[in-house]
Amino acid sequence: MADCGVENTMEKPPETSQPPDPCHRDANTQDHRYHNGGIMAEDDQTQTTSKTRFLQLLEGLDAPGDSGNPSDPPEWLDRDLFDRGRAFYKRYLFCVFLSDLVALLAMFSVTRILQPLIYTRRSDTPFKALRRYVSTIGRVVLWYSGDLWQPQDPAHEDILKVRRIHVAAAATFNHPDRRDALHSVTASGGKNNTDQPACPFHAPLKQDISKQVKEEEGQAESSVMARLEARPGMYLSQWDMTFTQYCFMGVIMAHPWRMGAWWVTERELEGLVHFWRGCGWLLGIEDRYNFCSGTVEETRALCLEMERQVVRPCLARSGRDTEHIGTALVDGVSSLLPWFSYPAMLRFLGDTMNLDLPSVRARMTLKHTLQYGFLRVLVHGLFLVPGVVWVFNEVLKLSLAVVQGQHPRWKAKVRVMPYSYVEYT
């Protein structure tokens, strides 16, 4: 096995001037308004609105995850705008796939989300994680390819099936006989709690992020984390559904260019927001807790608020279970797309959310660094070339087809990297 803990000799590429990033378009003209990093500077009103909305969403911690919304289209639905969101997925599928992978690694640091995942034992090996993730991606592909508002359409039937699964899971997780076991569950299943990966990254990650979070964290943010870290009064609450909604679209919404969506327009992002507002409605999210009920600017600001008050502090508190599940996921994905590894994705996550991770970089091997370098070249170089994103969209769809067994001559061999917690046989 490659020796870990050796200082990475590859220097970070120097910052260069960024090409125009068309993530915004002036409402009164056809010209794009460019901005650094894919994020417009937030004005005071937008910041105030995002903080107010964030606190409103937090109230959903005590509300059941299914609000009882009917499956009929709501009054606010704009079918043209919703279809524009479907078109966004067709154009930027690989970028969305990458942003979802980053968001999942962040989501695994939230204890109230992680514990049910561990309890089900369906994501703790590379094979299981790959199968579950491919199933999830396949569902989203079905949702944007079909007609979610037509009762006879497979997409409509599937999203309601997912809703029923959530309701059944909530009944299980919130049952008095299950709550103690769920709260104390660990990724190793209690069989061998001393298991350690060959090259653990959770300690360096906490070391790097804790310093930055402590400098940023104020009294309000501390109270938010106190509520999130408390023993859940309810699993699969409205807040949990809302946070999952954020994980499906929040990273690419807040940082489109860092996910390779260099030429996305304001209208396309508006469609993405409305698409997930509609999906949230069908999944049972109440309007006041729907993450995507605002404008593009308001939703982007809310994404950044979620990063600041939830994602970054939770990453600073993450531990071995977070790494176990995260490693299983990335190992599974790397069996099909070999330029992914858990350390490379951690560093890529840090880049995305402006987190400096010197201890993580020092522990990365040369192989990890090359994998990270490829991701950087891909997203910040190749994806600027017209047509390249389309090629990777097709590669991803072919890979998904292979996993789903649509090409019986091909076998998806799941391998485990040396630094993994688990071995799959």
Side-chain angles (χ1 to χ4, degrees), residues 97 127-141 329 332-333 336 396 399-405:
F97 165 82
F127 176 76
K128 292 179 184 178
L130 177 63
R131 183 171 57 186
R132 184 167 189 165
Y133 188 47
V134 166
S135 175
T136 301
I137 292 295
R139 288 184 185 279
V140 175
V141 171
L329 172 63
V333 172
L336 295 177
L396 176 60
S399 298
L400 295 174
V402 170
V403 175
Q404 293 169 335

Side-chain angles (χ1 to χ4, degrees), residues 4 20 62 75-76 83 85 92 98 168 189 195 198-199 236 243 250 276 280 298-299 323 363 366 379 397 404 420 423:
C4 69
D62 301 318
E75 294 181 356
W76 45 257
D83 289 342
Y92 295 107
L98 183 59
D195 283 348
C199 301
L236 265 70
F243 185 72
W276 274 105
E298 291 168 348
T299 305
E323 183 172 357
R363 188 168 288 266
L366 177 60
V379 172
K397 286 189 285 189
Q404 293 169 335
S420 175
E423 294 183 359

